[in-house]
Amino acid sequence: MPDTAPTELAKAIVAHHAGTFAGFNAEPVPTPTSGEPAYLAALHAASALGFIAHDAECIARAWQARTVRTGAASPEAWPDEPADFGLQPLPRAQDFAACPETLGLYAVLPDAAWVGRMARAGVPTVQLRFKSDDPAAIAREVNAAVQAVQDTGALLFINDHWRAAINAGAYGIHLGQEDLDALSAADLQTLRNSGLRLGVSTHGYAEMVRADAVGPSYIAMGAVFPTTLKKMATAPQGVGRLQGYARLLRSYPQVAIGGIGAEQFPEVLATGVGSIAVVRALVNAPDPEAAAAALMQAMRGS
């Protein structure tokens, strides 16, 4: 293949996908780990389209894998075949207990009182995100949250505090990437054996591949839009990227999170995700119950 081929292929990839991934500044091209033309072209193209280094590497490796598998580099088709990204084949060798394919409106809440309030309002999935370093306070709040959802039908996930979640009999836990990486193999097995469902936060392709390795119950993707809730290490992903992520993770229940208000629900749901997580749209609302009802109606597309 001529030396110009990767350059021309990279240009073709950018030309086909610039509209989908608009709004991102070009990123530096990471040091290549392969000399294959399709890999090199995709690495340069993904960087030009604004994907950070470890995500550009994932995309480039997937592009190369698909090229080998199909015999064509196909610049017009963004890679979305799980096997090309090295995701676990089905049925997964590593897998947590299953949760519903569609989790619906997903309320992320600061304490047990809010958990109970939104569960009673009919929100189908709730998460306790209780910030404390006091083990006794954590145990009290997690136990209170578990009690608060009794007889409501709401599925309760506990953010981070997985030992307390096991002890209290919660439905599931939610971990960020750093929390997941901090688990030992024994911790991970304890979690898996507990029967708790596991949700994992991701912010791009590399983190989705990392999450898939443990076979979580669902994968959260974000932040979709700008959010002031917490300092984000990565730029807002946007709906174009979310759509690509949703196609790749089509065998998982998916949760979109980050700066999503009612007005953005239609375009987010159009990507194929089955759940939208909200924080401020409920806890900052003048009438949280009315806001929950309106957002659940928006989830139904009516």
Side-chain angles (χ1 to χ4, degrees):
M1 183 177 285
D3 291 342
T4 57
T7 301
E8 294 306 313
L9 179 56
K11 289 178 180 177
I13 293 170
V14 171
H16 278 289
H17 302 285
T20 300
F21 303 124
F24 293 91
N25 294 325
E27 291 283 337
V29 180
T31 302
T33 60
S34 167
E36 295 294 334
Y39 165 89
L40 290 171
L43 188 71
H44 281 77
S47 302
L49 291 168
F51 287 92
I52 59 177
H54 58 202
D55 290 333
E57 172 72 13
C58 272
I59 293 164
R61 287 194 166 276
W63 218 296
Q64 174 61 24
R66 188 185 64 190
T67 301
V68 171
R69 178 172 57 82
T70 66
S74 304
E76 72 284 353
W78 195 258
D80 61 9
E81 183 59 41
D84 293 338
F85 283 84
L87 302 191
Q88 293 190 66
L90 299 177
R92 299 182 185 96
Q94 300 293 328
D95 222 359
F96 273 77
C99 68
E101 187 66 28
T102 301
L103 289 166
L105 184 67
Y106 189 140
V108 181
L109 304 160
D111 56 41
W114 268 107
V115 165
R117 186 174 178 180
M118 291 296 96
R120 290 189 298 273
V123 176
T125 309
V126 291
Q127 181 188 128
L128 173 68
R129 184 188 279 171
F130 181 65
K131 300 299 183 183
S132 175
D133 295 322
D134 179 353
I138 291 167
R140 283 195 303 270
E141 205 68 27
V142 171
N143 276 286
V146 170
Q147 292 300 313
V149 301
Q150 294 300 313
D151 303 320
T152 66
L155 306 180
L156 172 64
F157 289 86
I158 305 298
N159 186 287
D160 192 15
H161 308 303
W162 61 272
R163 294 187 189 277
I166 292 174
N167 293 337
Y171 179 79
I173 60 158
H174 182 92
L175 297 178
Q177 289 282 318
E178 291 180 357
D179 303 316
L180 184 62
D181 289 340
L183 295 179
S184 67
D187 289 341
L188 198 60
Q189 195 57 48
T190 297
L191 258 180
R192 203 184 302 278
N193 292 343
S194 75
L196 262 67
R197 285 75 176 172
L198 171 66
V200 177
S201 295
T202 65
H203 309 88
Y205 283 107
E207 293 189 356
M208 289 187 288
V209 171
R210 168 71 182 92
D212 169 76
V214 301
S217 309
Y218 74 80
I219 294 180
M221 304 172 292
V224 181
F225 300 112
T227 175
T228 58
L229 192 65
K230 62 179 181 177
K231 182 173 175 59
M232 301 302 297
T234 54
Q237 299 295 294
V239 174
R241 288 189 180 187
L242 180 64
Q243 192 165 41
Y245 300 159
R247 290 198 306 271
L248 175 61
L249 297 177
R250 54 191 177 270
S251 65
Y252 280 101
Q254 303 162 4
V255 179
I257 188 169
I260 306 171
E263 65 278 8
Q264 285 115 2
F265 270 42
E267 60 180 324
V268 171
L269 291 171
T271 67
V273 300
S275 179
I276 295 177
V278 294
V279 185
R280 291 171 298 165
L282 291 175
V283 298
N284 290 355
D287 185 342
E289 284 76 10
L295 292 174
M296 285 187 286
Q297 187 174 8
M299 284 295 307
R300 294 189 291 270
S302 57

